[in-house]
Amino acid sequence: MSKNNNISLGHIPEEIRPPSRIPPYLAAILSAIIPGVGQILGHAVRRGIILLGSFLSIMGLVIWRFRLAAPRDVGVFNIIKKGLHLEPILILVTILIIVLYVLIIIDAYNIVKVRDRTPIGAFFMVIIVFFALGWQIGDINLYTFFSQADEAIPALSKIVWPWEKAITQDVDYVRGYALIEIPCSDNPPPPSSATEGEPLLIANPTCGNLTVDEDHPGTLLHLVGKDFIPGIEADIMWKDPIRNEFRQRSEGHYVKVIPDENGDFELDIHIPYRLLPPSADQPTYIWKVFAQQVATVGSKHLSSDFKNIVERMIETIFIGMMATFFGVIFALPVSFFAARNLMSASPITLVLYYLVRAVLNIIRSIEPLIWAIIAVIVVGLGPFAGILALTLHSIAALGKLYSESIESISTGPIEAIQATGATWVQTVMFAVIPQIVPPFVSFTIYRWDVNIRMSTIIGFVGGGGIGFLLAQYIRLLDYKSAGMAVWFIAITVAILDYVSAEIRAKFV
Amino acid sequence: MLEVRHLTKIYDDGTVALKDISFSVAEGEFLIVIGLSGSGKSTLLRCINRLIDPTEGEILWNGVDLAQLQGEELRKSRRHIGMIFQHFNLVNRSSVMTNVLSGHLGYISQWQSILGRFPKEDKIKAWEALKRLGIEDQAHKRADELSGGQQQRVGIARALMQEPKMILADEPVASLDPVLAHSILQHLEMLNQEDNMTIICSLHYLDLVQRYATSVIGLREGRIVYQGSKEDILAMTDEEFKDIYGEEAERVGSGLEGNITHEGGEA
């Protein structure tokens, strides 16, 4: 009713518009004192209110931004000076506000004099000022964006093609070692002897002293390696008496050697520098020197990250499925209470209708992410929390959609089937069910689709599924694994989108 | 023989839709009810098959007072009264065949119909009904894929499945153009003449009333203001018609009468 009134007011012909109560120059002066007042008194009330409201809110926002830029300064002049200095966009905003102020005055004069409501200069200016303010409030910085865009490339390239991480190969350590006694005693350990199938490392001598400093290097050892894997780099390493392993260095580099085609090598090293804790105090110690090769063994296979992601993806799909399942089970009965045409019979049912509708609206207006946080508090981390959160949201969303499709069934067919002498059950079967099943199926499949998409996000707050894993990978800066997860989500969602669209097309 | 005695209907909100209506219809008559929208035509028709419960009065049909029937007895009586509607009232998402078959629900057991299964003879019957109305090639389409005229014929076929002795037609042509209006009324006339079904039909147009009615009653604000035979209505002038009917009465399609073909110009 009121809407119609508004529309008809807009169509009042020019000649019957009420005349202005004030002359044009007075309107201009009034708008100069308080922008918009001239228009209001000049019988362009709505126009005046919009301009006044816009101007006041713009002033409020600008004062806030200046104060924020200069929080500790005292005095209006100082604040403005500092604000303009720190936030150059505020200069532009200030200029635009002055232009707007002038435009509103001109607008007041014109509206009263010409009584033509078409000029939109002032409104256009309001939009421009809000845009400039938005730029400043949003801290938009295109320079940073374009100059630093390339910083995204390393992470992005890993996410775009993460599949090297999907394949892995097991490794095996091949070691040959010799025992070294430090310092030398009367009977140093014997040189290493060969064992079948394992490489051999012989040191000469088998005892000596540690390095003290650069001028006093440790005893020079001559190492001879045999039966190592030809062509694969071997690291020379030590194991001290308290079983710490460390690598042999020489002139700042790790010492490495590549065995020849027979798997043999020879090299000289100095016994390194090493402090042992006093608790390990003994007259002599046995150290181990060894050469270690890393060899890949077995065939290539899928990495554990990949397997994890696949497992979590399946979990995600089932979270969405179970949430849809429970959602449908609860939404079906609820939807009948939320259907106005069924509930308008008596005041009691009508109250129930409004109550159910209100609860559904409240539940639906709270994001599933927030429900998930609450669910995690109740049932702990994991997929069950995700299912709970999505179920709640699904009940609300489906309840509304179902009830709307119940409301939209036409009574004609019901009447017609009744008139044939059909029973109540037959009437429901032939006139009601055919009308509500197709929209119900369609909405349910749509909801399943939505739930699976949402369950990928729910994991970020601990609701289980692939989101949980994705959040972890991102925090560990493991962009390749994160990339694989993103790929899986994208593929799943795309397939689902397609399948649900196909099924829905068949039903409606 | 249908005899309506002192029928009154007052709705819950206090609207008096019918006031002390009495008339009788002999078997095999084509009774047309005329009157403005809101004059009580639809209420009268719906009282006869009890889609609406009358407040007072008797509706005697072959000696049984339909107004007193309840439950199973009412259902059994309804089976013999077909009804067609202005907006066809088909289940749009079901097939034409299912819509027609649903006319026979009153005769088959509840459990059989829950499974959506109909006996083979019913399907043959439905097929024949569709054939009689010339739309058998549409049988497997969805009802809402058909044009208005075709949908109304599906409505008639559904009523036919009830093996009715009487058909109530609530403004059956008000949603159709004049050419189709004749086509639909000719189908009703065929049932009236060939199968000796009693037809009670509400209409708006004087031409159609003159062309099809064997007797007429006029309603105004819930009361009978005119009762006449075929001869009376043929002798009626536009002015007299408007007198009973109000200013909204219209004459349509006068040039079409007589030279219309059975299928009309339906698309």
Side-chain angles (χ1 to χ4, degrees), chain B:
Chain B
M1 176 83 172
L2 176 77
E3 204 178 345
V4 174
R5 286 185 194 158
H6 309 297
L7 186 67
T8 297
K9 171 64 191 177
I10 302 167
Y11 284 108
D12 291 340
D13 63 359
T15 314
V16 181
L18 296 173
K19 186 136 203 201
D20 197 23
I21 301 273
S22 296
F23 64 93
S24 61
V25 194
E27 205 174 308
E29 268 203 84
F30 198 127
L31 173 76
I32 289 182
V33 185
I34 54 174
L36 281 173
S37 298
S39 63
K41 303 188 301 293
S42 292
T43 306
L44 175 61
L45 292 180
R46 281 171 172 72
C47 279
I48 293 172
N49 70 355
R50 293 280 307 283
L51 286 178
I52 291 173
D53 289 330
T55 312
E56 269 174 50
E58 295 172 345
I59 303 161
L60 295 170
W61 191 39
N62 300 330
V64 180
D65 185 3
L66 295 176
Q68 298 302 322
L69 294 183
Q70 288 301 333
E72 197 64 16
E73 286 178 330
L74 172 63
R75 227 168 50 69
K76 290 215 162 110
S77 295
R78 271 182 183 163
R79 295 193 307 204
H80 301 295
I81 306 172
M83 187 159 190
I84 60 177
F85 302 83
Q86 178 184 352
H87 298 295
F88 326 130
N89 289 3
L90 303 179
V91 180
N92 283 334
R93 286 190 173 106
S94 298
S95 71
V96 167
M97 196 64 182
T98 307
N99 269 288
V100 175
L101 282 168
S102 65
H104 210 247
L105 283 173
Y107 294 92
I108 61 175
S109 84
Q110 197 153 299
W111 303 115
Q112 205 173 358
S113 55
I114 282 176
L115 297 173
R117 282 216 286 265
F118 286 89
K120 199 170 180 199
E121 36 298 4
D122 283 13
K123 288 185 184 161
I124 294 167
K125 239 182 114 191
W127 188 259
E128 279 165 359
L130 286 170
K131 214 167 171 180
R132 198 166 172 195
L133 292 156
I135 44 169
E136 72 274 19
D137 48 339
Q138 314 287 345
H140 298 293
K141 283 193 185 167
R142 267 170 57 148
D144 57 2
E145 289 173 21
L146 270 55
S147 68
Q150 289 172 327
Q151 291 196 31
Q152 191 57 292
R153 282 189 269 170
V154 174
I156 296 174
R158 178 171 63 190
L160 272 182
M161 284 299 284
Q162 292 174 239
E163 300 161 19
K165 299 194 177 75
M166 177 162 72
I167 287 183
L168 308 173
D170 183 23
E171 301 194 21
V173 298
S175 305
L176 302 173
D177 61 50
V179 178
L180 290 173
H182 273 291
S183 166
I184 292 300
L185 286 170
Q186 278 165 2
H187 282 301
L188 290 179
E189 193 178 39
M190 173 184 80
L191 299 177
N192 178 241
Q193 289 169 357
E194 290 176 12
D195 301 24
N196 199 34
M197 287 180 198
T198 308
I199 310 279
I200 302 179
C201 174
S202 60
L203 277 183
H204 270 305
Y205 304 121
L206 181 55
D207 312 318
L208 298 176
V209 178
Q210 287 177 328
R211 163 73 177 76
Y212 295 101
T214 62
S215 80
V216 175
I217 58 175
L219 289 183
R220 193 164 186 179
E221 288 166 8
R223 295 169 196 271
I224 292 190
V225 292
Y226 180 85
Q227 241 174 327
S229 66
K230 192 173 179 73
E231 290 70 37
D232 294 332
I233 197 92
L234 284 175
M236 185 188 261
T237 62
D238 279 7
E239 284 66 37
E240 278 180 284
F241 186 60
K242 278 188 180 167
D243 249 8
I244 324 160
Y245 203 88
E247 285 303 310
E248 283 177 40
E250 278 177 74
R251 178 179 278 278
V252 291
S254 50
L256 292 166
E257 199 186 326
N259 56 25
I260 192 149
T261 57
H262 197 66
E263 290 310 310
E266 198 174 307

Side-chain angles (χ1 to χ4, degrees), chain A residues 282-445:
Chain A
Q282 276 180 41
T284 63
Y285 305 97
I286 299 296
W287 294 49
K288 265 183 185 175
V289 62
F290 59 95
Q292 173 177 287
Q293 286 178 309
V294 181
T296 53
V297 292
S299 57
K300 290 186 173 177
H301 57 87
L302 295 171
S303 67
S304 62
D305 282 328
F306 182 87
K307 285 179 192 159
N308 253 333
I309 289 167
V310 172
E311 282 169 13
R312 294 294 163 166
M313 194 69 236
I314 293 169
E315 190 180 289
T316 302
I317 293 171
F318 275 89
I319 289 173
M321 202 192 77
M322 294 310 285
T324 312
F325 225 73
F326 290 128
V328 170
I329 290 169
F330 289 105
L332 271 177
V334 167
S335 66
F336 286 88
F337 291 103
R340 205 192 168 101
N341 54 345
L342 302 180
M343 300 298 283
S344 55
S346 80
I348 299 164
T349 53
L350 204 60
V351 166
L352 191 62
Y353 158 82
Y354 281 116
L355 216 69
V356 172
R357 270 281 155 123
V359 171
L360 289 185
N361 282 337
I362 291 167
I363 295 176
R364 204 160 40 87
S365 60
I366 298 172
E367 278 292 307
L369 211 62
I370 293 163
W371 286 122
I373 292 169
I374 296 167
V376 165
I377 298 168
V378 180
V379 299
L381 297 172
F384 185 42
I387 292 173
L388 276 181
L390 289 174
T391 299
L392 213 54
H393 201 254
S394 295
I395 293 170
L398 283 177
K400 185 180 153 68
L401 291 173
Y402 285 172
S403 63
E404 272 165 11
S405 63
I406 293 172
E407 280 172 2
S408 71
I409 66 170
S410 57
T411 51
I414 298 171
E415 196 181 29
I417 300 293
Q418 264 178 355
T420 64
T423 62
W424 184 84
V425 173
Q426 286 172 328
T427 308
V428 171
M429 281 300 299
F430 281 82
V432 180
I433 302 275
Q435 290 195 67
I436 59 174
V437 162
F440 272 34
V441 170
S442 165
F443 288 139
T444 305
I445 288 167

